[in-house]
């Protein structure tokens, strides 16, 4: 197949590496990509957020499948334009992508579909925010309603800080004040063809900047998959269901979250074709949704796809062309996958960019390790970092102790002045 992947992050690099690992030998193109992606795909000059330009390019170059990585092209209507021209595309149209872009839309769909989620109040003024904070109590959860790249959310005991956060986002739109949900977080991805869903393997993301979950929220500083502790949070199997904890968990979320949401979106005339990302909290009262995304998670994709045994291209094409019903659930290896993000100094507030990177070949040479680039560019005789999250070290091992050891040995080889990374990714599952 000739496959065009839109986006420029480590998630897109992971998707491309997975496509490239297939025996079928695809031709993979990327726009805009980055220096790491350029080693594994052909970069095409194209504005990935321009629906007409992407459609024209796909037609002119006989592209068989377009895979949309980030949310921006979805919100810009790139998938709608491609679908109107009969070009298979993995990614929802603008209307269905609101599931990610508008937290109020997501809450409405969840309510209509009977999906378990925390209570939320939509506030349009500081007075309404204050009333909601008092009604829902501490800890306070305050969210900007639109896309804010992971930075629009504050979770705090401090009422004044919650108010100040709301005040800073109120000029750009309504604020959601949410009930605080406590418990471990799980990211679970579903492929959807608009009608049917197939789950992938669960992963956990580390959203905070620092070790021990200290510091500000980020786009994600690391991840691991699978989640060996799921059994502690899932009710014992009932007759007729799987006794494997991961399978039982995935069955439950498929039935209670993914299927009702996909059905509801279809009923509303906005079918969701692409990747439904369910961000879940395993509360003592059961699994609840904190958020949906309309695309693969970053960095979770970097640990889910290396464990996928089925050819990714076939799954994405089946979703894009309405054929998931005929496919069985994707299979995953028993190996453990860990990824650690290397970020620039100053991330997430004000990343320092342009610093040279060294030691990447030595890092990739560590057994079971590969790199997924997020923000790198060629400069003279080497690579420089061009953004906040620079690259992911991804390590696969027989168990988490091995995967973690490999990831951190590889990181020790990499030089980036001022670079930051967490040292505790997957630590709790590695003992
Ligand atoms: P979101 O952008 O909605 O995914 O929120 C970012 C992060 O904030 C989540 O991954 C959680 O760690 C935290 N968070 C969001 N909503 C809640 C909530 N209702 N209760 C507790 N933590 C939350
Ligand atoms: N890892 C969080 C996200 O992709 O939104």
């Amino acid at each position: 197949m000739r496959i065009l992947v839109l986006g420029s992050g480590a998630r897109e690099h992971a998707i491309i590496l997975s496509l490239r690992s297939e025996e079928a030998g695809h031709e993979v193109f990327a726009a805009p990509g980055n220096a790491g992606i350029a080693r594994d795909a052909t970069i095409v000059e194209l504005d990935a957020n321009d629906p007409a330009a992407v459609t024209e390019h796909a037609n002119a170059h006989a592209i068989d499948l377009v895979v949309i990585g980030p949310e921006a092209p979805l919100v810009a209507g790139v998938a709608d334009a491609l679908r109107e021209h009969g070009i298979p595309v993995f990614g929802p149209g603008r209307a269905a992508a609101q599931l990610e872009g508008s937290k109020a839309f997501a809450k409405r769909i969840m309510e209509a579909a009977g999906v378990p989620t925390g209570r939320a109040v939509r506030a349009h003024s500081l007075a309404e925010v204050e009333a909601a904070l008092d009604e829902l109590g501490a800890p306070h959860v305050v969210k900007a309603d639109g896309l804010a790249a992971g930075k629009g959310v504050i979770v705090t005991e401090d009422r004044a800080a919650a108010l100040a956060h709301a005040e800073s986002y109120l000029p750009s739109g309504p604020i959601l004040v949410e009930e605080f949900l406590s418990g471990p977080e799980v990211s679970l991805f579903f492929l959807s063809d608009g009608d049917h869903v197939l789950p992938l393997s669960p992963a956990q993301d580390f959203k905070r900047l620092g070790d021990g979950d200290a510091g500000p929220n980020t786009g994600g500083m690391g991840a691991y998959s699978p989640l060996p502790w799921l059994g502690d949070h899932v009710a014992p199997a009932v007759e007729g269901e799987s006794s494997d904890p991961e399978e039982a968990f995935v069955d439950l979320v498929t039935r209670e979250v993914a299927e009702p949401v996909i059905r509801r979106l279809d009923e509303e005339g906005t079918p969701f074709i692409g990747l439904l990302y369910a961000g879940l909290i395993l509360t003592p009262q059961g699994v609840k949704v904190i958020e949906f995304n309309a695309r693969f998670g970053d960095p979770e994709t970097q640990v889910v796809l290396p464990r996928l045994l089925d050819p990714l291209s076939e799954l994405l094409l089946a979703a894009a062309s309405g054929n998931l019903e005929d496919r069985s659930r994707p299979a995953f290896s028993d190996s453990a996958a860990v990824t650690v993000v290397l970020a620039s100094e100053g991330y997430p507030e004000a990343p320092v960019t342009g610093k040279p990177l060294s030691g990447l070949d030595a890092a990739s040479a560590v057994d079971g390790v590969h790199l997924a680039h997020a923000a790198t560019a060629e400069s003279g005789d080497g690579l420089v970092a061009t953004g906040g999250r620079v690259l992911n070290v991804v390590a696969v091992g027989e168990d988490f102790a091995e995967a973690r050891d490999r990831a951190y040995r590889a990181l020790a080889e990499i030089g980036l002045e001022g670079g930051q990374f967490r040292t505790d990714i997957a630590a709790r599952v590695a003992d």
Side-chain angles (χ1 to χ4, degrees):
M1 270 198 274
R2 291 167 61 83
I3 307 173
L4 171 63
V5 178
L6 302 182
S8 65
R11 162 186 50 212
E12 287 75 25
H13 200 180
I15 291 169
I16 287 165
L17 288 169
S18 184
L19 294 169
R20 288 290 308 269
S21 72
E22 293 177 23
E23 279 169 20
H26 305 294
E27 282 182 82
V28 184
F29 305 89
N34 59 42
I37 289 175
R39 296 171 182 180
D40 296 298
T42 306
I43 302 293
V44 293
E45 291 295 323
L46 179 64
D47 179 355
N49 295 326
D50 180 342
V54 174
T55 307
E56 203 171 297
H57 179 93
N59 263 329
H61 295 86
I63 296 295
D64 300 301
L65 173 67
V66 179
V67 181
I68 301 183
E71 58 268 45
L74 302 173
V75 172
V78 170
D80 302 276
L82 288 163
R83 231 165 254 131
E84 273 165 30
H85 287 81
I87 300 162
V89 50
F90 185 81
R94 192 199 318 237
Q98 284 183 84
L99 203 57
E100 167 164 2
S102 163
K103 291 183 189 291
F105 178 86
K107 281 283 177 196
R108 183 180 69 70
I109 293 291
M110 281 190 267
E111 209 167 285
V115 167
T117 183
R119 286 179 56 217
V121 176
R122 198 151 179 250
H124 299 86
S125 68
L126 218 46
E128 286 178 20
V129 172
E130 288 198 77
L133 291 177
D134 294 338
E135 183 192 336
L136 295 171
H140 303 293
V141 181
V142 175
K143 300 186 178 182
D145 191 24
L147 288 175
K151 294 172 205 155
V153 178
I154 191 172
V155 181
T156 178
E157 291 280 350
D158 182 347
R159 191 173 182 278
L163 260 185
H165 185 80
E167 194 168 13
S168 72
Y169 279 98
L170 262 175
S172 39
I175 298 292
L176 280 188
V177 181
E178 280 191 16
E179 171 191 5
F180 175 78
L181 302 173
S182 99
E185 287 183 41
V186 176
S187 304
L188 186 55
F189 302 161
F190 295 88
L191 306 166
S192 171
D193 66 4
D195 249 335
H196 295 93
V197 298
L198 287 180
L200 302 185
S201 181
Q204 188 170 53
D205 175 20
F206 290 72
K207 288 210 166 73
R208 301 282 187 140
L209 180 68
D211 282 357
D213 291 334
N217 265 323
T218 69
M221 293 298 289
Y224 66 88
S225 175
L227 306 178
W229 41 262
L230 274 177
D232 304 343
H233 299 272
V234 186
V238 293
E239 215 179 301
E241 285 189 357
S242 173
S243 59
D244 174 77
E246 174 169 327
E247 232 171 88
F249 172 80
V250 168
D251 283 348
L252 176 90
V253 182
T254 304
R255 196 176 58 232
E256 295 195 355
V257 176
E259 288 176 348
V261 163
I262 294 302
R263 202 177 309 127
R264 179 72 200 179
L265 286 169
D266 192 32
E267 282 164 9
E268 295 201 0
T270 51
F272 188 100
I273 300 164
L275 196 290
L276 176 68
Y277 167 134
L280 308 161
I281 291 199
L282 312 188
T283 77
Q285 291 77 40
V287 177
K288 295 196 179 179
V289 174
I290 7 170
E291 64 160 346
F292 287 118
N293 292 316
R295 45 155 183 92
F296 278 103
D298 187 348
E300 296 95 317
T301 301
Q302 289 85 303
V303 286
V304 171
L305 293 186
R307 298 184 47 243
L308 175 67
L309 298 174
D310 298 51
L312 179 64
S313 66
E314 289 180 17
L315 293 167
L316 300 184
L317 184 65
S321 27
N323 293 325
L324 280 188
E325 192 180 8
D326 305 330
R327 297 196 64 100
S328 49
R329 272 194 192 179
F332 288 85
S333 75
D334 290 333
S335 55
V338 171
T339 187
V340 184
V341 171
L342 175 65
S344 293
E345 180 180 355
Y347 178 74
E349 285 89 9
V352 177
T353 58
K355 300 278 184 198
L357 282 156
S358 63
L360 302 191
D361 290 340
S364 311
V366 174
D367 256 354
V369 167
H370 66 267
L371 303 182
H373 289 234
T376 60
E378 300 282 353
S379 166
D381 55 359
L383 293 182
V384 293
T386 56
R389 290 192 291 176
V390 178
L391 56 80
N392 283 62
V393 171
V394 184
V396 178
E398 275 195 20
D399 55 27
F400 281 109
E402 185 175 62
R404 212 176 110 75
D405 175 63
R406 289 172 166 179
Y408 283 106
R409 266 196 292 135
L411 257 170
E413 300 286 348
I414 300 178
L416 172 66
E417 191 191 319
Q420 332 176 50
F421 59 87
R422 281 183 66 155
T423 66
D424 62 349
I425 305 298
R428 87 169 255 229
V429 289
D431 306 326

